[in-house]
Amino acid sequence: MTRRIALALLLLGAPTAAGGQQRASFDHEKHRKVFPACAACHLGAAQAGAALLPAATVCASCHDGTVQPRVAWRPRDTWPATNLRFDHATHRAAIARLAAGAASACVACHAEPDAPWMVVTPVKAERCFDCHGIDAEHLAAPDAECARCHLPLAEARNLTPRDVAGFPRPPSHLDPAFASGAVHGARAAAKTPGGVLRSAQSCATCHAREFCVSCHVDAPEQPVIQAFEPDPRSVAIQARLRRPASHADPAFLVRHGAAAGASCRSCHARESCLSCHATPPAGSEALAVAAPGRGTGAVIRRHAPASHVDGFAEAHGAQAVANPTQCGACHIRPDCQACHRPAAGAGPGYHGDGFLARHPAAAYARHTACTDCHNAGSFCSTCHQRAGLVAPGPLRSGYHDAREFFIVGHGQAARQSLESCVTCHAERDCQSCHSALGGRRFDPHGPGFDAGRLRRKNPEMCTACHGAAIPG
Amino acid sequence: MTAARLWATATAALSALASPVGAQAYRARLDVGAQSVAYRGVTLDSVPVGDTLAGAGGGPVSPDGFAVTCLGADPYCTFFRPGPERQAGPVTGVADISVWGFGVPGLRMRASARVSGDLGDAKIWPGTDPEFELLEGYAEYAGPRLTARAGRITVFSRLGVAALDGSSVALRLAGRALELDVYAGWGLGRGAVLPITSSVLNPLDEYRPGKREIVVGGGVRWSDRWVDLGASYRREVDQRSEYFVSERFGLSGALRPVAGLSLTFGADYDLAQAVWGSGEATLAYRHHVFDAAAGVRRYRPHFELWTIWGAFSPVPYRSVHGRLAVRVTPWLTLRTQGERYSFDDTETDTPLADAETDGWRWMWGGTVTVWEGLTFDAGYHVEFGAGAASRGIGASASYAPRPEIRVTAHGSTLERPLEFRYSTADLTILGIELEGRVRRRARMALGLARYADSRERPDAGSFDWNQVRLTARVSVEFGRGTETTAPAVINRLPSGRVAR
């Protein structure tokens, strides 16, 4: 039997390279009529101190170049890295039980049931489960059972980071909910009846402290994480923070402040807040400041809230003045002043490229209130004056040349777009016709004009056209 | 202002900011921007009536083909020739500094100042005068329930963005849900940080008060999870005559009854003239797949009473508007928005020169995000209404190989017909812009764009001309002390965030 076990192990190791030299593989099935027992070659599986693989001279007893051609096979020098606790010596008693009444106990693990003699296959974990009473697929085994067969990662020192990166992923980890603290955190923090953290028995098989720290900002404060042994190889398995479902709510960005606090500290450092907020907001004091030994946590990119869609800039006023505190969470005063007190050298900003060319359309009908940001005198009139649009001296016709009689029929345009008119015209231009003191004495007052009220509020305005004889 | 003087001033300002200050911590930001732009206006000219000829359309033209306007018995007809190309090079530097840690928790000083100049061959670009402006400069004390400022301050309210030299006090009560604020001081011009008496604000020599107005105002706001409500009041009084220059009242708010749904509204009333000003109400619903909004709006200009313009009865327009953005797929977003407006009756009788009484605006576009760093955007807009119209398309491609670098290429075409003047302009713009973070606290942007401008007229006033515009911006932050070491009350007050 032991020979068969050794034979099977030989089969497992045979295809791999060792020492940079190519070794011929051993075809077990081809030799099925030669070997009646596994231990003939794999004595080490049954006998302490013996080699698991036969020496090359054993093969040469037949493959001597005369009876059979010579072969290049030789026993391997190194074995594949593994985190298995298994060794044949400690399972000898069990192997003996299996051997009772059978041709070889080795086939129980190293061959498929009812397979012909010496048709060996790689050992499956389920064969271990058969004896250990575990009724599950390998990766679906209960958490507590991992440690039965596997060493913790930190103790499996011959595994390379590449080996670790190649660990298979248990089905439980594929559940989108697994990433949440309520699932994987709760599992890690659960204790066995003996008071041992389950994480030490299951999670530690594949993970070590550095793996947890790659996400958890609050790792130093988490006893479960600190219970893991440190092992830098563990980050070969890359973890990625997933956004909780609650964060996908469009309203979350606006309302997350109310819930901000200790619940955020696993994934967020205080710097998370400062990615968007101008200064640490309420609730951020519960978060740790980024530091060595802590995870980076969620990397926040500053996103405009859902409300800041196209056109928001033109209509933000009502909201901004009703609750400036909300705006102040992300914006500082220079943000406001960048548009409301525009700098001539700043280039395109609020309006974008080419706005100068199309500003008449926006200005005539006042798409927005231009004077919230631009002084009509220093900005509009100055530019129009320098561009030659302001007629010096008496009011003359000529500029509004698309309407031959514009000067005698401009009233409608003036009352509709008076703010535009005054960027080129001063009061004297209009008073040449619209003053009670001279000219044509055309009455400029129209709908909504309350002479009595204006006179009470500021009669000086009335005197500009009426002199001391203000009517009414 | 010469270039040497400009940069000397900028350097001096930078040096002043960089020098140690006698406080525990400070934070400063310096933004410098420059443009190279060309401009072409018009030049008034005239021709004797007897020298005019009949143009192709039957109207009079000058001997060299310009359509002219002749009035009554005036012996000369007037017209506007294309003006010369004038090169401008506006340069501005804005320094913003906050200083705290004077031994009094909550006390800080803040100043924001701008230096401007024009490096071009003609000082034509607006906004470069005066050379120095103090945007804000105040001392502030901020506690959990109280914020007081004194100096040059800016007040943001429903009634607009107003600057004044004075002081303000804000009280926060009921767990900071209720806020009361009052302010008073000497007013500054609308959209400016200069007194109304400044000649810079009065290039056309309009009527202006001889002294600055006294401004008094205040507001009350309530904010909780479901609602924001605010009311504002402001009056401006002529110091010399003690008459009102302006007196207004405003309301604004937002309701959020359920997640994603909001109603934003606001209105202002001119108490001095007893007329409603502007107002709006917008109902919006935001879903992770789409964003939709619809609303009504009213716009009426506001004129202070030191001018006669308010007595000319400007009329408001009323509009309905809507917008819709749909995230069709994770990588494609489509959007559209439009507005239709109509002016109130002007009660004028102008059969010889009527104007459009209503108009509309509409745009649509889409954004394709190939991956997080590569984005394509394209859109079309059209605007038609009183005075002018425009329509055009634009597109851009933006690529960010790394988070700190972004390059954007853009192009657009535009038509801009005017209602009262023969000058339909066609404009084509092609450009590229590079933005990047040079260091952790320094950002820069460079832009290059070619403008091809074509003025189409049925007379000799048409012309084509091209120009290349250059823009450059640099923002630098520096300071001492960190967010975490700043006093809590200071941390609650936005100031000096790292530029993004």
Side-chain angles (χ1 to χ4, degrees), chain A residues 186-221:
Chain A
R187 284 196 192 183
K191 291 185 177 179
T192 64
V196 179
L197 282 170
R198 286 195 183 275
S199 60
Q201 295 190 328
S202 55
C203 313
T205 302
C206 301
H207 303 298
R209 191 184 301 163
E210 282 81 350
F211 172 78
C212 308
V213 171
S214 65
C215 288
H216 283 271
V217 177
D218 62 343
E221 290 81 31

Coordinates of all heavy atoms in Angstrom, one line a residue, chain A residues 186-221:
Chain A
A186 N -18.2 40.0 10.6 CA -18.9 39.2 11.6 C -18.3 37.8 11.7 O -18.1 37.2 12.7 CB -20.4 39.1 11.4
R187 N -18.0 37.2 10.5 CA -17.4 35.9 10.5 C -16.1 35.9 11.1 O -15.7 34.9 11.8 CB -17.3 35.4 9.0 CG -18.6 35.0 8.4 CD -18.3 34.2 7.2 NE -19.6 34.0 6.4 CZ -19.6 33.3 5.3 NH1 -18.5 32.7 4.8 NH2 -20.7 33.1 4.7
A188 N -15.3 36.9 10.8 CA -13.9 36.9 11.3 C -14.0 37.1 12.8 O -13.1 36.6 13.6 CB -13.2 38.1 10.7
A189 N -15.0 37.8 13.3 CA -15.0 38.1 14.8 C -15.7 37.0 15.6 O -15.6 37.0 16.8 CB -15.7 39.5 15.0
A190 N -16.3 36.1 14.9 CA -17.0 35.0 15.7 C -16.0 34.1 16.4 O -14.8 34.0 15.9 CB -17.8 34.2 14.7
K191 N -16.4 33.6 17.5 CA -15.4 32.7 18.2 C -16.0 31.3 18.3 O -17.2 31.1 18.3 CB -15.3 33.3 19.6 CG -14.5 34.6 19.7 CD -14.2 35.1 21.1 CE -13.4 36.3 21.1 NZ -13.1 36.9 22.4
T192 N -15.1 30.4 18.4 CA -15.4 29.0 18.6 C -15.9 28.8 20.0 O -15.7 29.6 20.9 CB -14.2 28.1 18.3 OG1 -13.3 28.4 19.3 CG2 -13.7 28.3 16.9
P193 N -16.6 27.7 20.3 CA -17.0 27.4 21.7 C -15.8 27.5 22.6 O -15.9 27.8 23.8 CB -17.6 26.0 21.6 CG -18.1 25.9 20.2 CD -17.1 26.7 19.3
G194 N -14.6 27.2 22.1 CA -13.4 27.3 23.0 C -12.9 28.7 23.1 O -11.8 28.8 23.8
G195 N -13.6 29.6 22.5 CA -13.1 31.0 22.7 C -12.1 31.5 21.7 O -11.5 32.5 21.9
V196 N -11.8 30.7 20.7 CA -10.8 31.0 19.7 C -11.5 31.8 18.5 O -12.6 31.4 18.1 CB -10.1 29.8 19.2 CG1 -9.1 30.1 18.1 CG2 -9.5 29.0 20.3
L197 N -10.9 32.8 18.1 CA -11.4 33.6 17.0 C -11.4 32.7 15.7 O -10.5 32.0 15.4 CB -10.6 34.8 16.6 CG -10.8 36.0 17.5 CD1 -9.7 37.1 17.3 CD2 -12.2 36.6 17.3
R198 N -12.6 32.6 15.1 CA -12.7 31.8 13.9 C -11.7 32.3 12.8 O -11.3 31.5 12.0 CB -14.1 31.8 13.4 CG -15.0 31.0 14.2 CD -16.3 30.7 13.4 NE -17.3 29.9 14.3 CZ -17.3 28.6 14.4 NH1 -16.3 27.9 13.7 NH2 -18.1 28.0 15.1
S199 N -11.5 33.6 12.8 CA -10.6 34.1 11.8 C -9.2 33.4 11.9 O -8.6 33.2 10.8 CB -10.4 35.6 12.0 OG -9.8 35.9 13.3
A200 N -8.8 33.1 13.1 CA -7.5 32.4 13.2 C -7.6 31.0 12.6 O -6.5 30.4 12.2 CB -7.1 32.3 14.7
Q201 N -8.8 30.4 12.5 CA -8.9 29.1 12.0 C -9.2 29.0 10.6 O -9.0 28.0 9.9 CB -10.0 28.3 12.8 CG -9.7 28.1 14.3 CD -10.6 27.2 14.9 OE1 -11.8 27.2 14.6 NE2 -10.2 26.5 15.9
S202 N -9.8 30.0 10.1 CA -10.2 30.0 8.7 C -9.6 31.1 7.8 O -8.8 30.8 6.9 CB -11.7 30.1 8.5 OG -12.2 31.2 9.2
C203 N -9.8 32.3 8.2 CA -9.3 33.5 7.4 C -7.8 33.4 7.3 O -7.2 33.7 6.2 CB -9.7 34.8 8.0 SG -11.5 34.9 8.4
A204 N -7.2 33.0 8.4 CA -5.7 33.1 8.4 C -5.1 32.0 7.5 O -3.9 32.1 7.3 CB -5.2 32.8 9.9
T205 N -5.9 31.1 7.0 CA -5.3 30.1 6.1 C -4.8 30.9 4.8 O -3.7 30.5 4.3 CB -6.4 29.2 5.6 OG1 -6.9 28.5 6.8 CG2 -5.9 28.1 4.7
C206 N -5.5 31.9 4.4 CA -5.1 32.6 3.2 C -4.7 34.0 3.4 O -4.0 34.6 2.6 CB -6.3 32.6 2.2 SG -6.9 31.0 1.7
H207 N -5.0 34.5 4.6 CA -4.8 36.0 4.8 C -3.9 36.2 6.1 O -3.9 35.4 7.0 CB -6.1 36.7 5.0 CG -7.1 36.5 3.9 ND1 -6.8 36.9 2.6 CD2 -8.3 35.9 3.8 CE1 -7.8 36.6 1.8 NE2 -8.7 36.0 2.5
A208 N -3.3 37.4 6.1 CA -2.6 37.8 7.2 C -2.9 39.3 7.5 O -3.7 39.9 6.7 CB -1.1 37.6 7.0
R209 N -2.3 39.9 8.5 CA -2.7 41.2 8.9 C -2.6 42.3 7.8 O -3.5 43.1 7.6 CB -1.9 41.7 10.1 CG -2.4 42.9 10.8 CD -1.5 43.3 11.9 NE -1.3 42.3 12.9 CZ -0.4 42.3 13.8 NH1 0.5 43.2 13.8 NH2 -0.3 41.3 14.7
E210 N -1.6 42.2 7.0 CA -1.4 43.2 6.0 C -2.5 43.2 4.9 O -2.8 44.2 4.4 CB 0.0 42.9 5.2 CG 1.2 43.4 6.0 CD 1.6 42.4 7.0 OE1 0.9 41.4 7.3 OE2 2.7 42.6 7.6
F211 N -3.1 42.0 4.7 CA -4.2 42.0 3.8 C -5.4 42.8 4.3 O -6.0 43.6 3.6 CB -4.7 40.5 3.6 CG -5.9 40.4 2.8 CD1 -5.9 40.5 1.5 CD2 -7.1 40.1 3.5 CE1 -7.1 40.4 0.7 CE2 -8.3 40.0 2.8 CZ -8.3 40.1 1.4
C212 N -5.7 42.7 5.6 CA -6.8 43.5 6.2 C -6.5 45.0 6.2 O -7.3 45.8 5.9 CB -7.0 43.0 7.6 SG -7.2 41.3 7.9
V213 N -5.2 45.3 6.4 CA -4.8 46.7 6.5 C -4.9 47.3 5.1 O -5.0 48.5 5.0 CB -3.4 46.8 7.1 CG1 -2.8 48.2 6.9 CG2 -3.4 46.4 8.5
S214 N -4.8 46.5 4.1 CA -4.9 47.1 2.7 C -6.2 47.8 2.5 O -6.3 48.7 1.6 CB -4.6 46.1 1.7 OG -5.7 45.1 1.7
C215 N -7.2 47.5 3.3 CA -8.5 48.2 3.2 C -8.8 49.0 4.5 O -9.2 50.1 4.5 CB -9.7 47.3 2.9 SG -9.7 46.6 1.3
H216 N -8.7 48.3 5.6 CA -9.2 48.8 6.9 C -8.4 50.0 7.4 O -7.2 49.8 7.8 CB -9.3 47.7 7.9 CG -10.5 46.8 7.7 ND1 -11.7 47.1 8.3 CD2 -10.6 45.7 7.0 CE1 -12.5 46.1 7.9 NE2 -11.9 45.2 7.2
V217 N -9.0 51.2 7.4 CA -8.3 52.3 8.0 C -8.2 52.1 9.5 O -7.2 52.6 10.1 CB -9.2 53.6 7.7 CG1 -8.5 54.8 8.3 CG2 -9.3 53.8 6.2
D218 N -9.2 51.5 10.1 CA -9.2 51.4 11.6 C -8.5 50.1 12.0 O -8.8 49.6 13.1 CB -10.6 51.4 12.1 CG -11.5 50.3 11.5 OD1 -11.1 49.7 10.5 OD2 -12.6 50.1 12.1
A219 N -7.6 49.5 11.2 CA -7.0 48.2 11.5 C -6.4 48.3 12.9 O -6.5 47.3 13.7 CB -6.0 47.9 10.5
P220 N -5.7 49.3 13.3 CA -5.0 49.3 14.6 C -6.0 49.1 15.8 O -5.7 48.7 16.9 CB -4.3 50.6 14.7 CG -4.0 51.0 13.3 CD -5.2 50.5 12.6
E221 N -7.3 49.6 15.5 CA -8.3 49.5 16.6 C -9.1 48.3 16.5 O -10.0 48.1 17.4 CB -9.2 50.7 16.5 CG -8.5 52.1 16.9 CD -7.7 52.7 15.8 OE1 -8.1 52.4 14.6 OE2 -6.7 53.3 16.0

